[in-house]
Amino acid sequence: MKKKTWSFRRLVVVLCCTVLSMLGSHADAEDRQPDTGITTSAKAAVLIERSTGTILLRSNEALPLPMASTTKVMTALLALEKGNLDDVVTVGRNAYGVPGTSIYLSQGEQITLRNLLYGLLMASGNDAAVAIAEHIGGDVDTFCRMMTERAAQLGCTDTVFVNPHGLPADGHHTTAYDLALIAREAMNHPLFREIVSTRRASIPWEGRSYHRILNNKNRLLSDYDGAFGIKTGYTKAAGRCLVFGARRGDFEVIGVVLCCGNWFEEAARIMDLGFERYDFFTAFSPGETVRALPVENGIQETVSIRTSGLLGAPVVKGCLPSLEYDLPSTVPAELPVGEEIGQARIVLDDQILSSVPLVVSETIGKRDYGYELERFLRLWPIVPEEMAQ
């Protein structure tokens, strides 16, 4: 479809209503920039805001390290993107008896991909990881190449997957930031979000009269307010690794600690620090009307302009953002519903914190000869019969 060219006007609105309590702050712009560096017991750590991906806190976030079973976040993401959850997977010889944590799959056992994902993410089954890899990729090596390629597509610059489970292997590594990007993408899938936030579940066990009982080892689910997962991991080489997250109102954070002895405590401390330093500012909810614009030659004079999604961003407490619009002065008739015609942005110190496309809320018909004739006839005065004689 031919790309339309619009003549834009820019409007800048200062969001005073959100910062009445901040008027006493007169810090220079440089002083308002967030200090994202932290001291941590982890060898590497990062905390990001989920909707925008903004880095809130960091320490050695770009340092390549082994990541143990947090590898399985990417294994699950590919399964969700490439597989059918109702597929019945036949467990092969390679998946049977994989060392380390297991859901005790038997060779030849048949189990749905959905249930394998529960075993993968809740019980950290290494056998489930291999079964998924062979089902999606045909073989483990192909699946691992798919994992590495998908990570690169997400912006991961130093991530290589050699296996789908995270057992020690030369060249198998990621960074705290890359792993946070992968988790951020995975959290867009409702089933992933559901599984990693579940504390206890059961899945069928073929050939037995009882089910497998799965217990989530992530203590944050019970100990931290608003926690929603995400994945634990441990090997002697990698140390304790944790991908974690929590929600407070509209504010969702995702974090990673790699090689961290007090993983749960440090994750909680980092999230506390993030929630203390930042507020999440919501400018517009998804589908909220921003304004009305005149319609050229339309059967209605105006059309409502709405956001195509949430417009919000984390803002350092005490800072004053502004809201910018790029919108045309008028729009032509007959634009399809959802046509993008502009953009709204949250801006702080000339830095765009978040943006969202602005779209038309309905199709407005064009005035034509038939419309004008019908309108003329509707407005034509009716003459009483007795007056016409």
Side-chain angles (χ1 to χ4, degrees):
M1 187 176 71
K2 186 177 178 181
K3 187 174 178 64
K4 296 180 175 61
T5 302
W6 302 96
S7 176
F8 287 104
R9 58 179 178 175
R10 178 170 295 177
L11 301 175
V12 180
V13 180
V14 178
L15 304 174
C16 299
C17 59
T18 66
V19 290
L20 293 178
S21 63
M22 305 175 187
L23 295 180
S25 176
H26 300 287
D28 293 334
E30 292 79 6
D31 296 333
R32 296 202 304 268
Q33 294 300 319
D35 178 12
T36 57
I38 57 169
T39 300
T40 173
S41 60
K43 198 166 186 179
V46 74
L47 187 73
I48 67 173
E49 191 277 317
R50 193 191 69 81
S51 66
T52 62
T54 302
I55 294 178
L56 307 177
L57 302 168
R58 67 176 99 197
S59 176
N60 294 327
E61 76 285 354
L63 178 66
L65 291 168
M67 60 291 204
S69 283
T70 59
T71 294
K72 292 164 182 159
V73 175
M74 177 56 88
T75 304
L77 175 59
L78 273 189
L80 289 163
E81 292 179 340
K82 302 292 186 181
N84 184 328
L85 294 174
D86 295 323
D87 280 353
V88 177
V89 179
T90 300
V91 178
R93 181 179 60 187
N94 294 326
Y96 170 67
V98 179
T101 53
S102 174
I103 60 171
Y104 305 103
L105 295 170
S106 300
Q107 185 174 346
E109 179 178 349
Q110 293 191 316
I111 183 172
T112 65
L113 181 59
R114 182 189 301 271
N115 287 328
L116 278 176
L117 283 169
Y118 272 91
L120 176 80
L121 293 169
M122 289 190 65
S124 202
N126 293 336
D127 49 355
V130 174
I132 289 171
E134 292 187 333
H135 177 72
I136 299 296
D139 59 74
V140 169
D141 288 342
T142 299
F143 185 78
C144 289
R145 286 195 295 271
M146 293 168 63
M147 294 170 75
T148 302
E149 290 169 1
R150 183 68 179 108
Q153 292 171 1
L154 293 173
C156 301
T157 59
D158 209 341
T159 293
V160 177
F161 294 101
V162 177
N163 60 57
H165 39 61
L167 289 173
D170 290 341
H172 186 87
H173 66 265
T174 189
T175 69
Y177 179 61
D178 284 1
L179 193 50
L181 292 180
I182 295 167
R184 179 190 177 212
E185 184 67 22
M187 287 296 290
N188 289 327
H189 293 266
L191 181 61
F192 181 91
R193 180 181 285 264
E194 175 186 319
I195 294 174
V196 298
S197 62
T198 300
R199 295 168 62 181
R200 183 180 174 88
S202 65
I203 58 175
W205 200 333
E206 188 177 82
R208 309 208 182 190
S209 59
Y210 48 89
H211 284 197
R212 292 177 170 94
I213 303 300
L214 309 176
N215 293 298
N216 199 322
K217 297 179 181 179
N218 187 349
R219 294 206 317 260
L220 293 174
L221 293 176
S222 58
D223 296 349
Y224 194 84
D225 181 32
F228 50 63
I230 296 174
K231 186 71 188 76
T232 60
Y234 172 78
T235 63
K236 187 175 181 180
R240 291 177 175 176
C241 303
L242 182 64
V243 184
F244 52 92
R247 181 184 182 95
R248 301 280 173 84
D250 289 332
F251 198 175
E252 280 194 359
V253 296
I254 290 175
V256 175
V257 289
L258 298 177
C259 193
C260 182
N262 58 336
W263 48 352
F264 296 120
E265 294 80 6
E266 188 63 357
R269 187 187 73 85
I270 290 172
M271 287 193 288
D272 282 345
L273 193 57
F275 287 127
E276 288 169 6
R277 288 189 183 182
Y278 295 85
D279 285 321
F280 190 82
F281 176 78
T282 301
F284 291 107
S285 300
E288 187 173 347
T289 298
V290 173
R291 62 183 60 246
L293 290 180
V295 180
E296 301 170 10
N297 299 317
I299 62 175
Q300 292 179 202
E301 292 185 356
T302 63
V303 64
S304 295
I305 306 302
R306 297 178 179 173
T307 59
S308 61
L310 172 73
L311 179 59
V315 178
V316 177
K317 291 183 178 180
C319 289
L320 174 61
S322 62
L323 185 60
E324 292 185 357
Y325 303 95
D326 279 339
L327 282 172
S329 300
T330 61
V331 297
E334 297 186 322
L335 285 181
V337 174
E339 176 80 6
E340 182 179 337
I341 63 160
Q343 189 182 76
R345 297 182 291 271
I346 297 175
V347 179
L348 179 65
D349 298 333
D350 297 323
Q351 178 185 358
I352 297 174
L353 303 183
S354 181
S355 63
V356 67
L358 298 177
V359 300
V360 294
S361 61
E362 59 180 322
T363 297
I364 306 300
K366 187 176 182 180
R367 293 183 182 181
D368 54 17
Y369 175 79
Y371 169 79
E372 294 294 352
L373 177 60
E374 180 183 350
R375 180 171 178 269
F376 176 78
L377 293 175
R378 285 201 313 268
L379 297 176
W380 186 263
I382 300 175
V383 181
E385 185 176 344
E386 59 272 16
M387 292 180 63
Q389 292 179 353

